[in-house]
Amino acid sequence: MVIDYLTGALVLITAFYAWATFRILRANEKVVEVMHEQAEAVTRPYVTVAPILEPDNPIFYLRISNTGKTSASKLKLSIDKSFHKFGEKSGEKDLATFAAFNNVIESFPPGAEITFSLAQSFKLFAEDADKEILPQHFTITAEYSYADKTVKEDNIIDLQAYYGSDIPQDPYVRKLKDIRNAIEKVATNVSKKP
Protein backbone atom coordinates (compact mmCIF):
# COMPACT_ATOMS: atom_id res chain seq x y z
CA MET A 1 0.00 0.00 0.00
CA VAL A 2 2.78 2.50 0.89
CA ILE A 3 4.60 1.53 -2.29
CA ASP A 4 1.48 2.39 -4.31
CA TYR A 5 1.31 5.85 -2.69
CA LEU A 6 5.02 6.42 -3.26
CA THR A 7 4.74 5.25 -6.87
CA GLY A 8 1.78 7.58 -7.39
CA ALA A 9 3.69 10.48 -5.80
CA LEU A 10 6.72 9.70 -7.96
CA VAL A 11 4.52 9.69 -11.08
CA LEU A 12 3.09 13.11 -10.08
CA ILE A 13 6.54 14.55 -9.37
CA THR A 14 7.87 13.19 -12.69
CA ALA A 15 4.85 14.64 -14.52
CA PHE A 16 5.46 18.02 -12.85
CA TYR A 17 9.14 17.96 -13.85
CA ALA A 18 8.22 17.00 -17.42
CA TRP A 19 5.69 19.86 -17.55
CA ALA A 20 8.20 22.35 -16.05
CA THR A 21 10.93 21.21 -18.46
CA PHE A 22 8.55 21.64 -21.40
CA ARG A 23 7.67 25.17 -20.24
CA ILE A 24 11.36 26.06 -19.92
CA LEU A 25 12.01 24.66 -23.40
CA ARG A 26 9.18 26.76 -24.88
CA ALA A 27 10.46 29.89 -23.10
CA ASN A 28 13.99 29.27 -24.42
CA GLU A 29 12.66 28.82 -27.96
CA LYS A 30 10.88 32.20 -27.70
CA VAL A 31 14.06 33.87 -26.41
CA VAL A 32 16.08 32.42 -29.30
CA GLU A 33 13.41 33.57 -31.76
CA VAL A 34 13.44 37.13 -30.37
CA MET A 35 17.26 37.21 -30.46
CA HIS A 36 17.21 36.06 -34.09
CA GLU A 37 14.68 38.78 -34.99
CA GLN A 38 16.79 41.41 -33.21
CA ALA A 39 19.98 40.27 -34.95
CA GLU A 40 18.19 40.41 -38.30
CA ALA A 41 16.79 43.88 -37.55
CA VAL A 42 20.29 45.15 -36.79
CA THR A 43 21.98 43.65 -39.84
CA ARG A 44 19.35 43.90 -42.59
CA PRO A 45 19.17 46.59 -45.30
CA TYR A 46 16.75 49.50 -44.90
CA VAL A 47 15.88 51.38 -48.08
CA THR A 48 14.60 54.80 -46.97
CA VAL A 49 12.95 57.37 -49.19
CA ALA A 50 12.55 60.92 -47.93
CA PRO A 51 12.33 64.51 -49.14
CA ILE A 52 15.19 66.71 -47.98
CA LEU A 53 16.11 70.37 -47.98
CA GLU A 54 19.70 71.52 -47.97
CA PRO A 55 20.75 74.56 -45.92
CA ASP A 56 20.29 77.89 -47.70
CA ASN A 57 18.67 76.23 -50.72
CA PRO A 58 14.94 76.39 -51.58
CA ILE A 59 15.08 73.22 -53.73
CA PHE A 60 13.44 70.03 -52.47
CA TYR A 61 15.36 66.84 -53.16
CA LEU A 62 14.25 63.24 -52.99
CA ARG A 63 16.82 60.95 -51.39
CA ILE A 64 16.68 57.17 -51.69
CA SER A 65 19.29 55.51 -49.50
CA ASN A 66 20.24 52.24 -47.86
CA THR A 67 20.66 53.05 -44.19
CA GLY A 68 21.03 49.39 -43.20
CA LYS A 69 24.09 47.22 -42.70
CA THR A 70 23.80 44.90 -45.73
CA SER A 71 23.01 45.23 -49.42
CA ALA A 72 19.47 45.31 -50.73
CA SER A 73 19.25 42.91 -53.67
CA LYS A 74 16.97 43.21 -56.70
CA LEU A 75 15.72 46.66 -55.67
CA LYS A 76 12.62 47.74 -57.60
CA LEU A 77 11.46 51.32 -57.11
CA SER A 78 8.12 52.56 -58.38
CA ILE A 79 6.36 55.90 -58.12
CA ASP A 80 2.57 56.13 -58.21
CA LYS A 81 2.37 59.53 -59.95
CA SER A 82 4.36 61.48 -62.47
CA PHE A 83 6.51 64.20 -60.94
CA HIS A 84 8.04 66.64 -63.42
CA LYS A 85 11.26 68.15 -62.08
CA PHE A 86 10.99 71.91 -61.55
CA GLY A 87 7.50 71.84 -63.08
CA GLU A 88 8.85 71.36 -66.62
CA LYS A 89 6.38 69.13 -68.42
CA SER A 90 8.46 66.85 -70.60
CA GLY A 91 9.20 63.15 -70.67
CA GLU A 92 12.83 63.84 -69.84
CA LYS A 93 11.86 65.58 -66.58
CA ASP A 94 9.29 63.04 -65.35
CA LEU A 95 10.70 60.99 -62.44
CA ALA A 96 8.45 58.09 -63.41
CA THR A 97 10.46 57.67 -66.63
CA PHE A 98 13.88 57.62 -64.94
CA ALA A 99 15.93 54.42 -64.92
CA ALA A 100 15.78 54.08 -61.13
CA PHE A 101 11.99 53.69 -61.34
CA ASN A 102 11.98 51.40 -64.38
CA ASN A 103 14.97 49.10 -64.00
CA VAL A 104 15.90 46.62 -61.28
CA ILE A 105 18.91 47.71 -59.25
CA GLU A 106 20.76 44.42 -58.75
CA SER A 107 22.58 45.49 -55.59
CA PHE A 108 22.10 48.61 -53.48
CA PRO A 109 24.90 48.54 -50.89
CA PRO A 110 24.88 50.07 -47.40
CA GLY A 111 25.39 53.83 -47.55
CA ALA A 112 24.36 54.05 -51.22
CA GLU A 113 22.23 57.06 -52.16
CA ILE A 114 20.32 58.19 -55.20
CA THR A 115 19.21 61.82 -55.10
CA PHE A 116 16.79 63.59 -57.43
CA SER A 117 16.05 67.30 -57.42
CA LEU A 118 12.30 67.94 -57.32
CA ALA A 119 11.49 71.65 -57.43
CA GLN A 120 11.83 74.92 -55.57
CA SER A 121 9.47 75.39 -52.65
CA PHE A 122 7.98 78.54 -54.20
CA LYS A 123 7.00 76.51 -57.29
CA LEU A 124 5.61 73.57 -55.31
CA PHE A 125 3.46 75.72 -53.05
CA ALA A 126 2.38 78.38 -55.57
CA GLU A 127 -1.37 78.92 -55.73
CA ASP A 128 -1.39 78.21 -59.45
CA ALA A 129 0.90 75.13 -59.23
CA ASP A 130 -0.29 72.27 -61.42
CA LYS A 131 -0.77 69.32 -59.03
CA GLU A 132 -0.57 66.88 -61.95
CA ILE A 133 2.95 68.06 -62.78
CA LEU A 134 4.11 68.89 -59.24
CA PRO A 135 2.12 66.66 -56.86
CA GLN A 136 2.59 67.40 -53.18
CA HIS A 137 1.63 63.84 -52.21
CA PHE A 138 2.95 60.71 -53.88
CA THR A 139 4.09 57.23 -52.93
CA ILE A 140 7.32 55.48 -53.76
CA THR A 141 7.35 51.72 -53.29
CA ALA A 142 10.63 49.94 -52.64
CA GLU A 143 10.69 46.18 -53.09
CA TYR A 144 13.94 44.35 -52.37
CA SER A 145 15.44 41.14 -51.06
CA TYR A 146 18.02 40.19 -48.48
CA ALA A 147 19.03 36.76 -47.20
CA ASP A 148 15.95 34.68 -48.05
CA LYS A 149 13.37 37.42 -47.49
CA THR A 150 11.60 39.93 -49.73
CA VAL A 151 10.38 43.25 -48.39
CA LYS A 152 7.89 45.65 -49.95
CA GLU A 153 7.64 49.07 -48.33
CA ASP A 154 5.45 52.02 -49.31
CA ASN A 155 7.00 55.41 -48.59
CA ILE A 156 4.42 58.21 -48.59
CA ILE A 157 6.01 61.51 -49.55
CA ASP A 158 4.04 64.46 -48.18
CA LEU A 159 5.62 67.74 -49.26
CA GLN A 160 2.60 69.66 -47.95
CA ALA A 161 3.95 69.10 -44.43
CA TYR A 162 6.80 71.50 -45.28
CA TYR A 163 4.47 74.34 -46.29
CA GLY A 164 5.26 77.43 -44.23
CA SER A 165 8.46 76.00 -42.78
CA ASP A 166 11.77 77.81 -42.99
CA ILE A 167 14.67 76.80 -45.19
CA PRO A 168 17.39 75.26 -43.02
CA GLN A 169 20.20 77.70 -42.35
CA ASP A 170 23.87 76.81 -42.04
CA PRO A 171 25.44 79.04 -39.36
CA TYR A 172 28.86 78.76 -41.02
CA VAL A 173 27.46 79.98 -44.34
CA ARG A 174 25.84 82.93 -42.57
CA LYS A 175 29.16 83.81 -40.89
CA LEU A 176 30.99 83.52 -44.22
CA LYS A 177 28.44 85.85 -45.83
CA ASP A 178 28.97 88.35 -43.00
CA ILE A 179 32.75 88.13 -43.48
CA ARG A 180 32.38 88.57 -47.26
CA ASN A 181 30.17 91.65 -46.74
CA ALA A 182 32.70 93.11 -44.29
CA ILE A 183 35.56 92.52 -46.74
CA GLU A 184 33.57 94.13 -49.57
CA LYS A 185 32.85 97.13 -47.35
CA VAL A 186 36.55 97.49 -46.46
CA ALA A 187 37.51 97.08 -50.15
CA THR A 188 35.02 99.78 -51.13
CA ASN A 189 36.36 102.17 -48.47
CA VAL A 190 39.98 101.50 -49.47
CA SER A 191 39.25 102.09 -53.16
CA LYS A 192 37.61 105.47 -52.35
CA LYS A 193 40.69 106.81 -50.57
CA PRO A 194 43.06 108.88 -52.75
Side-chain angles (χ1 to χ4, degrees):
M1 185 90 138
V2 172
I3 292 180
D4 290 338
Y5 287 126
L6 289 175
T7 303
L10 186 59
V11 168
L12 287 175
I13 290 171
T14 304
F16 173 75
Y17 278 125
W19 174 80
T21 303
F22 177 75
R23 297 280 297 175
I24 291 169
L25 177 66
R26 295 291 293 155
N28 284 341
E29 286 175 348
K30 288 182 181 178
V31 167
V32 169
E33 185 179 318
V34 167
M35 288 174 60
H36 178 70
E37 289 173 1
Q38 289 175 342
E40 181 182 314
V42 168
T43 59
R44 64 164 278 200
Y46 288 97
V47 175
T48 58
V49 181
I52 57 167
L53 279 169
E54 292 179 341
D56 301 308
N57 186 350
I59 299 174
F60 277 94
Y61 294 90
L62 181 70
R63 178 179 291 156
I64 302 164
S65 57
N66 182 354
T67 57
K69 301 290 184 192
T70 56
S71 291
S73 300
K74 308 277 188 216
L75 173 61
K76 294 180 207 168
L77 297 168
S78 60
I79 185 169
D80 69 337
K81 297 177 183 175
S82 288
F83 190 104
H84 296 267
K85 292 174 66 168
F86 301 103
E88 297 174 19
K89 191 168 182 170
S90 75
E92 295 174 355
K93 298 288 186 173
D94 184 1
L95 288 183
T97 65
F98 288 15
F101 297 103
N102 290 286
N103 299 330
V104 173
I105 300 169
E106 290 298 323
S107 180
F108 198 56
E113 289 185 356
I114 301 172
T115 304
F116 299 101
S117 52
L118 296 177
Q120 301 93 330
S121 54
F122 57 83
K123 281 190 176 183
L124 278 168
F125 302 128
E127 287 184 26
D128 61 346
D130 185 345
K131 303 298 186 215
E132 297 296 316
I133 296 173
L134 293 172
Q136 294 179 1
H137 300 88
F138 54 95
T139 302
I140 294 180
T141 302
E143 186 174 350
Y144 55 96
S145 301
Y146 67 95
D148 58 349
K149 297 187 177 179
T150 299
V151 178
K152 185 175 183 180
E153 300 167 331
D154 290 331
N155 300 275
I156 299 170
I157 307 300
D158 182 6
L159 300 175
Q160 184 64 36
Y162 293 88
Y163 182 73
S165 66
D166 294 326
I167 296 172
Q169 301 291 311
D170 186 336
Y172 295 111
V173 171
R174 277 196 314 244
K175 293 290 183 193
L176 288 172
K177 285 180 183 177
D178 292 343
I179 291 169
R180 184 189 74 204
N181 290 339
I183 290 171
E184 287 175 355
K185 187 184 274 186
V186 168
T188 302
N189 289 339
V190 167
S191 66
K192 288 182 181 179
K193 291 185 178 180

